[in-house]
């Protein structure tokens, strides 16, 4: 039975905790009902930066809605993955009702922490109320000469997650024989970090390249430092949930219902989640027939065996595309400013121990940060994987997609709406993208 707010049936939800453990009752219900038959293709969708079940369910309902008409003869089941992620409430989602916070942010961008985001932080980082209150107070008051204290509190918030930082589940590219160092995001001078974020935000909001321009107050970038530190924790979590939770569950499903064809779909960090699920698949499982990434918020080199700028380094998911008995399809858009402008800067801070220092001393500006090294899947597609095919969205919808390997689809013709700082990052509810999912999985 469909849930009250869901547009399709049969629909199931799978709820995972931060360690990748799934709700046992939901898992057992899915396995039991799918095993009974009636479903040939199962579309499994993982959300990105939504911080509650209702927001994720609304996304799934709207995205899935056109599919029954597009594939009227297909026997399709639908799964919505619910995992503990975080979305700052000042980020508008195109085509969804805007929150009061998002409308206020559009009218007057400010670094203060709204009450809804404070509540979301408390849910995402339980037991950290005192730290969150201190962070909120500092963002509101912007005290002189206390940015370092602000940085200490932000790092304390993220590093106090049970188990502490887990570099293995944070990095998207790895160098052979080189241990992961602690990210600059947690070690560098806070004023420098905030100043770089402030300049990047100014570029996004003005549309101009502020090369050589420095905003007078680094506090303008302080909220972005908090946002990215939080997303760093969510990035780790997405990998954990995918590899330890969803991947093994797909294996269980393959054992119970081997004829069911599974199609993984992920938005933003949900793209990272479903991609890491490939690492968690038991050996011999071949039931994943397609993976579709919508504005994937992870490195465009994640599937690469070797990086163009370092022959001794490769992507953390290198070769995992071969676990799919079908294509890995990556939809991207130049209008995704979250991935085009802020992500490269945050990635440089998170993954390169010398990044910020070198950037400051060598005179790198925002333009260089948008270059090859720090790109995201959702901004320019899969990179450095031989044989990757490229399509416009129109061409992808009028021709047969490859039966295997990586496929890039420029979806900017529809993924184009949204204000700063995220741009079109969440502009994914489009009939054409639902068609891509069906085309990738050969669902008819």
């Amino acid at each position: 039975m469909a849930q009250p707010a869901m547009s399709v049936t049969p629909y199931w939800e799978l709820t995972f905790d931060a360690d990748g453990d799934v709700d046992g009752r939901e898992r057992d219900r899915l396995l039991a009902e799918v095993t009974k038959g009636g479903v040939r293709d199962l579309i499994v969708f993982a959300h990105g930066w939504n911080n509650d079940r209702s927001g994720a369910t609304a996304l799934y309902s709207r995205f899935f809605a056109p599919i029954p008409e597009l594939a009227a003869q297909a026997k399709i089941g639908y799964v919505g993955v619910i995992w503990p992620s975080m979305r700052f409430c000042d980020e508008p989602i195109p085509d969804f009702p805007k929150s009061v916070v998002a409308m206020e942010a559009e009218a007057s961008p400010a670094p203060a922490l709204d009450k809804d985001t404070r509540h979301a932080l408390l849910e995402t980082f339980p037991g950290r109320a005192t730290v969150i209150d201190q962070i909120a107070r500092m963002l509101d008051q912007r005290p002189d000469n206390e940015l370092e204290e602000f940085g200490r509190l932000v790092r304390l918030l993220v590093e106090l997650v049970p188990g502490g930082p887990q570099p293995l589940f944070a990095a998207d590219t790895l160098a052979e024989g080189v241990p992961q160092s602690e990210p600059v995001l947690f070690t560098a001078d806070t004023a420098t970090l905030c100043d770089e974020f402030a300049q990047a935000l100014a570029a996004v909001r003005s549309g101009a390249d502020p090369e050589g321009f420095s905003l007078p107050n680094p506090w303008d970038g302080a909220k972005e430092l908090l946002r990215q530190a939080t997303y760093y924790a969510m990035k780790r979590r997405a990998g954990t949930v995918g590899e330890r939770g969803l991947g093994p569950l797909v294996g269980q499903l393959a054992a119970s219902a081997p004829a069911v064809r599974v199609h993984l779909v992920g938005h933003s960090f949900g793209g990272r989640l479903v991609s890491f699920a490939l690492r968690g698949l038991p050996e011999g499982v071949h039931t994943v027939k397609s993976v579709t990434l919508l504005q994937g918020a992870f490195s465009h080199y994640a599937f690469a065996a070797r990086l163009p700028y370092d022959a001794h380094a490769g992507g953390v998911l290198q070769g995992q595309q071969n676990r799919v008995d079908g294509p890995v399809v990556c939809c991207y858009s130049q209008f995704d400013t979250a991935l085009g402008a802020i992500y490269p800067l945050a990635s440089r801070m998170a993954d390169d121990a010398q990044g910020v220092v070198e950037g400051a001393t060598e005179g790198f500006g925002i333009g260089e940060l948008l270059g090859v090294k720090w790109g995201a899947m959702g901004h320019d597609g899969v990179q450095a994987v031989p044989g990757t095919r490229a399509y416009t969205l129109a061409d992808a919808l009028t021709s047969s997609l490859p039966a295997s390997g990586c496929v890039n689809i420029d979806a900017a013709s529809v993924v184009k709406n949204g204000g700063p700082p995220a741009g079109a990052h969440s502009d994914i509810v489009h009939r054409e993208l639902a068609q891509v999912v069906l085309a990738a999985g050969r669902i008819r």
Side-chain angles (χ1 to χ4, degrees), residues 45-50 56 59-60 81-85 267 269-271 273:
F45 197 154
H47 65 79
W49 297 342
N50 297 292
L59 168 65
Y60 299 148
V81 172
I82 307 295
W83 62 285
S85 66
H267 168 235
F269 281 149
L273 190 157

Side-chain angles (χ1 to χ4, degrees), residues 235-399:
K235 181 179 178 181
R236 291 199 314 265
R237 187 174 292 179
T240 300
V241 172
E243 183 168 0
R244 299 180 181 176
L246 183 58
L249 190 147
V250 172
Q252 290 178 288
L253 181 63
S256 299
V260 173
R261 306 169 74 248
V262 177
H263 310 277
L264 303 179
V265 183
H267 168 235
S268 186
F269 281 149
R272 192 173 196 268
L273 190 157
V274 299
S275 297
F276 269 73
L278 301 175
R279 289 202 345 180
L281 285 178
E283 289 297 324
V285 171
H286 303 291
T287 56
V288 177
K289 302 301 180 180
S290 68
V291 175
T292 304
L293 308 175
L294 306 173
Q295 303 311 117
F298 59 115
S299 172
H300 56 194
Y301 292 132
F303 292 106
R306 288 290 178 266
L307 306 185
Y309 58 86
D310 187 347
H312 300 290
V316 70
L317 295 172
Q318 57 182 279
Q320 293 300 319
Q321 67 271 23
N322 299 323
R323 302 295 307 277
V324 182
D325 187 21
V328 173
V329 176
C330 177
C331 294
Y332 66 94
S333 171
Q334 63 177 315
F335 299 112
D336 186 336
T337 51
L339 299 183
I342 304 300
Y343 177 91
L345 177 57
S347 295
R348 188 175 64 130
M349 293 175 180
D351 297 332
D352 184 351
Q354 300 299 318
V356 172
V357 175
E358 290 177 355
T361 58
E362 296 178 15
F364 285 129
I366 299 302
E368 285 81 1
L369 294 177
L370 305 186
V372 172
K373 189 172 183 180
W374 305 109
M377 289 274 181
H379 185 250
D380 59 3
V382 175
Q383 301 294 319
V385 176
T388 297
R389 301 282 297 278
Y391 294 82
T392 64
L393 182 58
D395 288 342
L397 297 179
T398 55
S399 59

Side-chain angles (χ1 to χ4, degrees), residues 19-39:
D19 296 320
D21 294 325
V22 68
D23 182 298
R25 289 175 298 179
E26 293 178 345
R27 175 201 59 211
D28 294 346
R29 175 175 173 243
L30 171 68
L31 294 176
E33 295 183 6
V34 170
T35 301
K36 291 178 182 178
V39 171

